[in-house]
Amino acid sequence: MSLIPDLRVVFAGIELKNPVIAASGTFGYGVEFEDVVHLDRLGGLVVKGLSREPIIGNPPPRLYETAAGMLNAIGLQNIGARAFVEEKLSRLRQIKDLVVIANIFGYTREDYEHTAEILNQGEGIAAYELNVSCPNTQQGGIHFGSDPHSLDEVVSSVKRFSMRPLIVKLSPNVTSIAQMAHVAQEAGADAISLVNTFVAMAIDVNTRKPRIANVSAGLSGPAIKPIAVRMVYEAARSVSIPVIGMGGISTAADVIEFMLAGASAVQVGTASYWDPRATEKIVTEVGKWCREHQIGRIAELTGAVEL
Ligand SMILES: Cc1cc2nc3c(=O)[nH]c(=O)nc-3n(C[C@H](O)[C@H](O)[C@H](O)COP(=O)(O)O)c2cc1C
């Protein structure tokens, strides 16, 4: 008799049909992937970071492939929260059974609050993911994610404005991820997600110029996976709220590894750049992996690393 594994996971009161979520900034507003991925097979998707007003982003070059990874300094280009609600959300809502998470970015605390207020008016958003960890803008973003006091302030104030569960996306560019995870929890986060990209840099030795116009950029992809797993493990041990893990996931085994480290669900980012169908393929593989390993309920793997 072949076992049909139960892939459902729950975090912050949201049930996902499986733990695989498309990560912010690597999956557009979801609608762009409709022709290549069966969106309703995904656990969920996080849309590109949204701000109060549209942002043009940084000048090119903004992407550069590295050994087992990718540098990006997009600079949070997006159409703005209002246009997202008016132009994209209605289409996403037509897709049955799709869990949509809106990623929020701001330069100031008020920006975050206003963006949440705009998004509160849209129907069909399951949760907000607060990006306090973007390394690619001059101000804001990473500042909130690297200083415990600022993190506490921005999370507690957005929590007051938010009509939806709040996931706080932490920066890996900190000394103690356990401390930042704990601060987010105490400030009212319903869940945390990590990691965002690592601040990095590459130089073209022939031209002597940085590979990315912004000079520094965020590193993502398989190159960061072991560091991300360690950080998810440390963060999960320091909080009682659910943890969503990411950083270099491209296979079912990667998903399981993050769950064993303490993640209730995971996100897949850069893998969609080399294979736009990666998210859906990983969902299929995870089901197969659980069948082959006689795992009845995938949720039981969360934090089940044996030390
Ligand atoms: C091109 C690009 C754009 C991104 N934009 C965002 C964003 O708007 N908001 C955000 O929270 N994270 C953003 N990220 C970070 C990813 O969501 C993810 O945290 C990170 O890339 C690590 O996962 P990965 O190694 O699977 O890509 C972006 C990443 C990439 C590569």
Side-chain angles (χ1 to χ4, degrees), residues 24-25 48-49 72 76 103 131 169 195-196 220-221 246 248 269-270 273:
S24 180
K48 174 68 190 164
N72 95 83
L76 292 154
N103 183 284
N131 177 6
K169 184 166 179 179
V195 296
N196 207 316
S220 62
M246 78 199 90
T270 303
Y273 271 77

Side-chain angles (χ1 to χ4, degrees), residues 23-26 47-50 63 70-72 74 76-77 103 129-134 169 194-197 218-222 224 246-249 267-271 273:
S24 180
T26 62
V47 301
K48 174 68 190 164
L50 299 164
L63 291 178
M70 187 167 89
L71 289 180
N72 95 83
I74 304 296
L76 292 154
Q77 176 180 354
N103 183 284
E129 181 179 60
L130 215 59
N131 177 6
V132 289
S133 46
C134 181
K169 184 166 179 179
L194 70 157
V195 296
N196 207 316
T197 55
L219 180 65
S220 62
I224 69 171
M246 78 199 90
I249 293 177
Q267 294 183 19
V268 175
T270 303
Y273 271 77

Side-chain angles (χ1 to χ4, degrees), residues 10-256:
V10 178
F11 65 85
I14 305 161
E15 184 179 298
L16 305 184
K17 59 175 90 67
N18 64 66
V20 181
I21 305 169
S24 180
T26 62
F27 213 71
Y29 301 102
V31 287
E32 298 86 343
F33 278 74
E34 235 183 324
D35 294 336
V36 277
V37 172
H38 295 97
L39 296 179
D40 60 350
R41 292 202 189 145
L42 303 183
L45 66 87
V46 188
V47 301
K48 174 68 190 164
L50 299 164
S51 48
R52 187 176 173 176
E53 302 294 337
I55 296 179
I56 304 169
N58 292 331
R62 312 196 288 186
L63 291 178
Y64 177 69
E65 191 175 342
T66 62
M70 187 167 89
L71 289 180
N72 95 83
I74 304 296
L76 292 154
Q77 176 180 354
N78 79 98
I79 58 173
R82 205 170 298 283
F84 169 73
V85 169
E86 287 165 7
E87 295 163 24
K88 309 283 183 189
L89 196 54
S90 53
R91 176 64 204 131
L92 289 175
R93 278 178 54 205
Q94 285 167 17
I95 302 166
K96 235 179 111 241
D97 244 8
L98 177 63
V99 173
V100 176
I101 298 171
N103 183 284
I104 300 179
F105 168 79
Y107 294 114
T108 65
R109 202 188 70 203
E110 290 76 19
D111 283 346
Y112 281 98
E113 293 168 356
H114 278 276
T115 309
E117 278 186 315
I118 296 168
L119 294 171
N120 282 341
Q121 293 155 27
E123 273 176 52
I125 301 172
Y128 299 143
E129 181 179 60
L130 215 59
N131 177 6
V132 289
S133 46
C134 181
N136 299 325
T137 54
Q138 293 301 313
Q139 18 146 224
I142 201 164
H143 164 70
F144 292 106
S146 52
D147 172 55
H149 181 69
S150 305
L151 181 67
D152 174 54
E153 219 175 61
V154 74
V155 174
S156 38
S157 74
V158 177
K159 179 71 184 169
R160 282 198 298 276
F161 282 80
S162 167
M163 287 166 51
R164 296 186 165 116
L166 204 59
I167 304 161
V168 176
K169 184 166 179 179
L170 298 175
S171 170
N173 302 293
V174 295
T175 308
S176 168
I177 196 71
Q179 181 196 15
M180 300 306 273
H182 190 71
V183 168
Q185 169 177 278
E186 296 308 298
D190 298 291
I192 52 172
S193 59
L194 70 157
V195 296
N196 207 316
T197 55
F198 288 80
V199 183
M201 183 177 174
I203 300 168
D204 180 336
V205 294
N206 295 315
T207 63
R208 301 191 177 192
K209 297 219 174 290
R211 296 282 191 181
I212 298 280
N214 188 56
V215 181
S216 68
L219 180 65
S220 62
I224 69 171
K225 204 192 78 180
I227 319 178
V229 170
R230 187 267 298 173
M231 289 190 147
V232 164
Y233 172 76
E234 287 180 1
R237 285 165 71 100
S238 73
V239 293
S240 52
I241 52 175
V243 175
I244 302 168
M246 78 199 90
I249 293 177
S250 66
T251 65
D254 295 341
V255 174
I256 305 301

